[in-house]
Amino acid sequence: MARVVIQAVVSVDGFIARPNDSVGPLFDWYFNGDTELSARPSGWTFQVSPTSADYVQPFWDSIKVTVIGRHLFDTTNGWDGKPAAGEQLVVVTHRPLPEQWLADHPDAPFHTADSVEAGVALAKKLAGDGLVAVTAGDLGGQAFSAGLVDEVEMDVVPVVLGEGVRFFGSHAGTVLLDDPDRVVQGDRVLHLHYKVKR
């Protein structure tokens, strides 16, 4: 059965982007090392510390399906039809994807769902026994609030943004996590992994 993880790079005060969706110094660690990190199938490459590469590469490689919201799809232009991580991507949206985008990317392994619940269910079906990554922010917060998330993975960067897009979106309420089962110190980033208490 597929596992569902909410994941993002995050500031110490819990933000994954500034109010205008820019990431500022949050992604600096992707370019401060000498070891290649590759996002498949997008083909993006980064240069990180060996420690970060040893942690992040297997995690990224284990993702089978990514679930994103329509805002992220529009902001990134659907990553030009190539999922940033995983073999397939589910976009949670109440509107059809743009006709021109679909025409430009006829082979994109993208699917749509009209609710977070339907999106995660579809992603789990597509992933089989693999990992489903739900992007943090409003969509991830909704999935977390609905009890659909099994794990939390965050790459904590030593910066305080003060405002912006929260890791858990507008989630409210208390949810207990297990103690972190992975704590890896990279260069200007701390990788943390938790399981949600059931």
Side-chain angles (χ1 to χ4, degrees):
M1 185 172 178
R3 299 172 359 255
V4 179
V5 59
I6 181 174
Q7 186 276 331
V9 178
V10 61
S11 66
V12 171
D13 55 343
F15 297 105
I16 60 171
R18 291 177 169 152
N20 67 357
D21 294 321
S22 67
V23 294
L26 289 177
F27 286 3
D28 287 356
W29 68 276
Y30 281 134
F31 308 98
N32 69 355
D34 57 8
T35 303
E36 184 171 279
L37 176 64
S38 178
R40 302 179 187 105
S42 66
W44 302 335
T45 58
F46 307 94
Q47 295 297 128
V48 299
S49 71
T51 304
S52 286
D54 288 346
Y55 173 79
V56 176
Q57 191 69 67
F59 173 72
W60 282 1
D61 289 347
S62 68
I63 296 171
K64 298 298 181 195
V65 182
T66 299
V67 182
I68 69 171
R70 182 57 182 264
H71 181 73
L72 183 57
F73 175 89
D74 290 341
T75 301
T76 63
N77 190 38
W79 292 304
D80 295 325
K82 296 179 182 177
E87 299 159 4
Q88 301 188 66
L89 191 140
V90 175
V91 182
V92 176
T93 179
H94 298 293
R95 296 174 284 133
L97 299 183
E99 288 183 24
Q100 187 58 55
W101 187 91
L102 291 169
D104 291 343
H105 309 288
D107 298 323
F110 283 41
H111 311 269
T112 58
D114 63 3
S115 70
V116 172
E117 292 81 4
V120 171
L122 175 58
K124 288 174 76 170
K125 181 179 177 183
L126 294 169
D129 290 334
L131 186 65
V132 172
V134 178
T135 54
D138 287 335
L139 177 87
Q142 290 174 45
F144 191 74
S145 293
L148 302 174
V149 173
D150 303 306
E151 305 170 17
V152 175
E153 198 284 332
M154 49 180 58
D155 304 307
V156 183
V157 175
V159 63
V160 176
L161 291 183
E163 62 178 344
V165 181
R166 299 199 68 75
F167 186 96
F168 290 102
S170 59
H171 168 77
T174 302
V175 176
L176 294 179
L177 307 177
D178 286 330
D179 287 336
D181 56 11
R182 280 172 266 168
V183 179
V184 177
Q185 183 175 342
D187 183 1
R188 303 290 299 160
V189 63
L190 180 65
H191 307 288
L192 299 172
H193 182 273
Y194 304 87
K195 291 180 182 170
V196 178
K197 274 188 174 288
R198 298 288 187 207

